[in-house]
Coordinates of all heavy atoms in Angstrom, one line a residue:
L1 N 8.6 -14.3 62.8 CA 9.5 -13.8 61.8 C 10.9 -14.1 62.2 O 11.3 -14.1 63.4 CB 9.4 -12.3 61.7 CG 8.1 -11.7 61.1 CD1 8.1 -10.2 61.1 CD2 7.8 -12.3 59.7
V2 N 11.8 -14.4 61.2 CA 13.2 -14.7 61.5 C 14.0 -13.9 60.5 O 13.6 -13.6 59.4 CB 13.5 -16.2 61.3 CG1 12.8 -17.0 62.3 CG2 13.2 -16.7 59.9
A3 N 15.2 -13.5 61.0 CA 16.2 -12.8 60.1 C 17.0 -13.9 59.4 O 17.7 -14.7 60.1 CB 17.1 -11.9 61.0
V4 N 16.9 -14.0 58.1 CA 17.5 -15.1 57.4 C 19.0 -14.8 57.1 O 19.4 -13.7 56.9 CB 16.8 -15.3 56.0 CG1 17.5 -16.3 55.2 CG2 15.3 -15.7 56.3
Q5 N 19.8 -15.9 57.2 CA 21.2 -15.9 57.0 C 21.6 -16.8 55.9 O 20.7 -17.4 55.2 CB 22.0 -16.3 58.3 CG 21.7 -15.4 59.5 CD 22.5 -15.9 60.7 OE1 23.1 -17.0 60.7 NE2 22.6 -15.1 61.7
T6 N 22.8 -17.0 55.6 CA 23.4 -18.1 54.8 C 24.4 -18.8 55.6 O 24.9 -18.3 56.6 CB 24.0 -17.5 53.5 OG1 25.3 -16.8 53.9 CG2 23.1 -16.6 52.7
P7 N 24.7 -20.1 55.3 CA 24.4 -20.8 54.0 C 23.0 -21.3 53.9 O 22.4 -21.7 55.0 CB 25.4 -22.0 54.0 CG 25.6 -22.3 55.5 CD 25.6 -20.9 56.1
Q8 N 22.4 -21.2 52.7 CA 21.1 -21.8 52.5 C 21.3 -23.1 51.6 O 22.0 -23.0 50.6 CB 20.2 -20.8 51.8 CG 20.0 -19.6 52.6 CD 19.1 -18.6 52.0 OE1 18.4 -18.8 50.9 NE2 19.0 -17.4 52.6
G9 N 20.7 -24.2 52.1 CA 21.0 -25.5 51.4 C 19.8 -26.1 50.8 O 18.7 -26.0 51.3
F10 N 20.0 -26.8 49.6 CA 18.9 -27.4 48.9 C 19.4 -28.7 48.2 O 20.6 -28.7 47.9 CB 18.2 -26.5 47.9 CG 17.5 -25.3 48.5 CD1 18.2 -24.2 48.8 CD2 16.2 -25.4 48.8 CE1 17.5 -23.1 49.4 CE2 15.5 -24.4 49.4 CZ 16.2 -23.2 49.7
R11 N 18.5 -29.6 48.0 CA 18.9 -30.8 47.2 C 19.3 -30.2 45.8 O 18.6 -29.4 45.3 CB 17.7 -31.7 47.1 CG 17.5 -32.5 48.4 CD 16.3 -33.4 48.4 NE 16.0 -34.0 49.7 CZ 14.9 -34.5 50.0 NH1 13.9 -34.6 49.1 NH2 14.7 -35.0 51.2
A12 N 20.3 -30.8 45.3 CA 21.0 -30.2 44.1 C 20.2 -30.2 42.9 O 20.1 -29.2 42.2 CB 22.3 -30.9 43.9
A13 N 19.5 -31.3 42.5 CA 18.8 -31.4 41.2 C 17.7 -30.4 41.1 O 17.6 -29.6 40.2 CB 18.3 -32.8 41.0
P14 N 16.7 -30.3 42.1 CA 15.7 -29.3 42.0 C 16.2 -27.8 42.1 O 15.7 -26.9 41.5 CB 14.8 -29.6 43.2 CG 15.5 -30.5 44.1 CD 16.5 -31.2 43.2
L15 N 17.3 -27.6 42.8 CA 17.9 -26.3 42.9 C 18.4 -25.9 41.5 O 18.1 -24.8 41.1 CB 19.1 -26.3 43.9 CG 19.9 -25.0 44.1 CD1 19.0 -23.9 44.6 CD2 21.1 -25.3 45.0
L16 N 19.2 -26.7 40.8 CA 19.7 -26.4 39.5 C 18.5 -26.2 38.5 O 18.5 -25.2 37.8 CB 20.6 -27.5 39.0 CG 21.1 -27.4 37.6 CD1 21.9 -26.1 37.4 CD2 21.9 -28.7 37.2
A17 N 17.5 -27.0 38.6 CA 16.4 -26.8 37.7 C 15.6 -25.5 37.9 O 15.2 -24.8 37.0 CB 15.4 -28.0 37.8
A18 N 15.5 -25.1 39.2 CA 14.8 -23.9 39.5 C 15.6 -22.7 39.0 O 15.0 -21.7 38.5 CB 14.6 -23.8 41.0
Y19 N 16.9 -22.7 39.1 CA 17.7 -21.6 38.7 C 17.7 -21.5 37.1 O 17.8 -20.4 36.6 CB 19.1 -21.7 39.3 CG 19.2 -20.9 40.5 CD1 18.6 -21.4 41.7 CD2 19.8 -19.7 40.6 CE1 18.7 -20.7 42.9 CE2 19.8 -18.9 41.8 CZ 19.3 -19.5 42.9 OH 19.3 -18.8 44.1
E20 N 17.7 -22.6 36.5 CA 17.7 -22.6 35.0 C 16.3 -22.0 34.5 O 16.3 -21.2 33.6 CB 17.9 -24.0 34.4 CG 19.3 -24.5 34.6 CD 20.3 -23.7 33.7 OE1 20.0 -22.7 33.0 OE2 21.5 -24.1 33.7
E21 N 15.2 -22.4 35.2 CA 13.9 -21.8 34.9 C 13.9 -20.3 35.2 O 13.3 -19.6 34.4 CB 12.8 -22.6 35.6 CG 11.4 -22.1 35.2 CD 10.3 -22.9 35.7 OE1 10.6 -23.9 36.5 OE2 9.1 -22.6 35.5
A22 N 14.4 -20.0 36.3 CA 14.5 -18.6 36.6 C 15.2 -17.7 35.6 O 14.8 -16.6 35.2 CB 15.1 -18.4 38.0
A23 N 16.3 -18.3 35.1 CA 17.1 -17.6 34.1 C 16.3 -17.5 32.8 O 16.3 -16.4 32.1 CB 18.4 -18.3 33.8
A24 N 15.6 -18.5 32.4 CA 14.8 -18.5 31.2 C 13.7 -17.4 31.3 O 13.3 -16.8 30.3 CB 14.2 -19.8 30.9

């Protein structure tokens, strides 16, 4: 187990697509 921090980083295109789907 790890205690998660930020910044959290992701490749931009799949990150944007995931957030748009989450919003929908």
Side-chain angles (χ1 to χ4, degrees):
L1 294 180
V2 297
V4 174
Q5 301 179 349
T6 69
Q8 299 182 10
F10 292 88
R11 290 179 186 158
L15 178 63
L16 176 61
Y19 268 76
E20 289 291 4
E21 184 174 357

